[in-house]
Amino acid sequence: MRSPRVTSRPLPQDPVVRALIAQARQAQLTRRTLLAGGAAGASALALAACSTGGGQARPTAAADRSDSDKTLNWANWAAYIDEDDAGNYPTLDRFEEETGISVNYEVAVDDNNTYYGKVKDQLALGQDIGADTVCLTDWMVSRWIRLGYTQELDHDNIPNIANLTPALQNPDFDEGRKHSLPWQGGFAGICWNTEKVPGGLREVQDLWSADLKGRVGVLSEMRDTMGLIMLQNGVDISGDWGDAEFEAAIETLDEQVANGQIRNIKGNSYLEDLKSEDTLAAICWSGDITVLNAEAGDKWQFAIPDAGGTLWNDNFLIPVGSPRKTNAETLINYYYDPAVAAEVAAWVNYITPVVGAQEAAAAIDPELAENQLIFPNDETLSNAYIFRALSGAEEQKYQAQFQQILLGS
């Protein structure tokens, strides 16, 4: 397990994510959305991904053959599980030893919408998409549940569900957690190369400095990139705002892309640009920077901007076509053991949803239990916001405006 490299502040006992999820009940947020790609191809994929498939028959869940098939396919994001220097996943290796279930862990998700665009036709037919569990963000999980693309969880196979932090137990998109369980949560903020930007950054506005021209990256997640720009403009993104506030932020983004200040707009692959120093500063996701430091030289720093950062949560779900449902539930139960959750959190540096993980983390390293990226206190959470829920018309309009800039970047 890699040691985390983050600064932290004193933490009151058991804050976990109560404030985070209190907001999450009123808004469904993604960690990442549309990946910028080739103009025609990306545009077509975006339109396909936005399709909700309304009016079609709900698919039938696959028969479970877990008793005879001790394998499991897990699709997840990059830098989102504990990893050792040899590229192994220690907690996953132990799961295989303890259960006899062989796991194929695939870094298959760069972006919620592009992943959905790849598998939605198979999901609609109830077919196996090649993943028995996948971790996606609240708003996308809501879509899958609404369309019947997930299997209902058997809580008897997940006794450790008792360790789910109470504030996460009844989100509006999945009351009673019948179809999903949280994996990790986190912040979007700003980061910079400390060797190249020794003075550091405090605000999104600092990304527009002439010293950084052509060396700035932003996320292809509309809610995070636009959310941070709107916060910089003084907008409470979890509150009452509309077209005027969004369009003012779009104008800022468009200007910084057009004048060459912003070099790249990407999903999880933004990490490669930081490594290569194509970009020296970026809008980024909190835990990724700790992993980047562990892998590539400990020279990046993450901060929630003074004007505020965004919050999000990703969740396990079991696709409707998975024939290894019990195996997936066994995996989910394993990761809800507080000791296992603490070990993962120590590496990925995202907010764990597991009660008892903070105490387990203290046994690993007392400073770990005070890490604000894993166990944020009320002060930290007071400066982080969830992008409010959008109507269907708003989602279509705002995503189209954002996509237009993506395709022109």
Side-chain angles (χ1 to χ4, degrees), residues 230 233 235 241-251 398:
M230 291 169 71
N233 289 348
V235 178
W241 56 268
D243 290 354
E245 291 82 0
F246 187 86
E247 288 167 6
I250 275 286
E251 288 178 8
Y398 297 158

Side-chain angles (χ1 to χ4, degrees), residues 297-364:
D298 200 9
K299 59 182 179 181
W300 291 272
Q301 187 167 338
F302 171 86
I304 296 174
D306 288 349
T310 64
L311 298 168
W312 46 263
N313 203 66
D314 291 336
N315 307 266
F316 283 111
L317 54 78
I318 300 176
V320 65
S322 166
R324 290 166 285 270
K325 176 174 177 284
T326 300
N327 291 349
E329 291 165 340
T330 303
L331 176 85
I332 295 169
N333 185 65
Y334 171 79
Y335 278 101
Y336 267 72
D337 180 296
V340 177
E343 187 171 349
V344 173
W347 199 90
V348 303
N349 272 244
Y350 283 114
I351 302 170
T352 175
V354 179
V355 172
Q358 185 177 2
E359 292 75 12
I364 297 173

Side-chain angles (χ1 to χ4, degrees), residues 16 44 82 175 293:
V16 198
D82 55 303
E175 292 187 7
N293 277 328

Side-chain angles (χ1 to χ4, degrees), residues 174-246:
D174 188 17
E175 292 187 7
R177 286 293 180 180
K178 296 179 180 179
H179 295 266
S180 67
L181 277 172
W183 167 239
Q184 308 286 321
F187 304 101
I190 53 177
C191 64
W192 60 94
N193 183 316
T194 57
E195 295 178 354
K196 305 295 185 180
V197 190
L201 306 175
R202 295 189 59 176
E203 297 283 7
V204 171
Q205 189 71 31
D206 295 339
L207 295 172
W208 317 146
S209 165
D211 293 341
L212 291 172
K213 188 174 180 66
R215 310 301 290 277
V216 174
V218 300
L219 296 170
S220 60
E221 158 49 34
M222 182 264 286
R223 289 163 175 82
D224 284 334
T225 290
M226 297 305 298
L228 263 67
I229 295 174
M230 291 169 71
L231 286 164
Q232 177 73 65
N233 289 348
V235 178
D236 178 356
I237 60 172
S238 63
D240 185 17
W241 56 268
D243 290 354
E245 291 82 0
F246 187 86

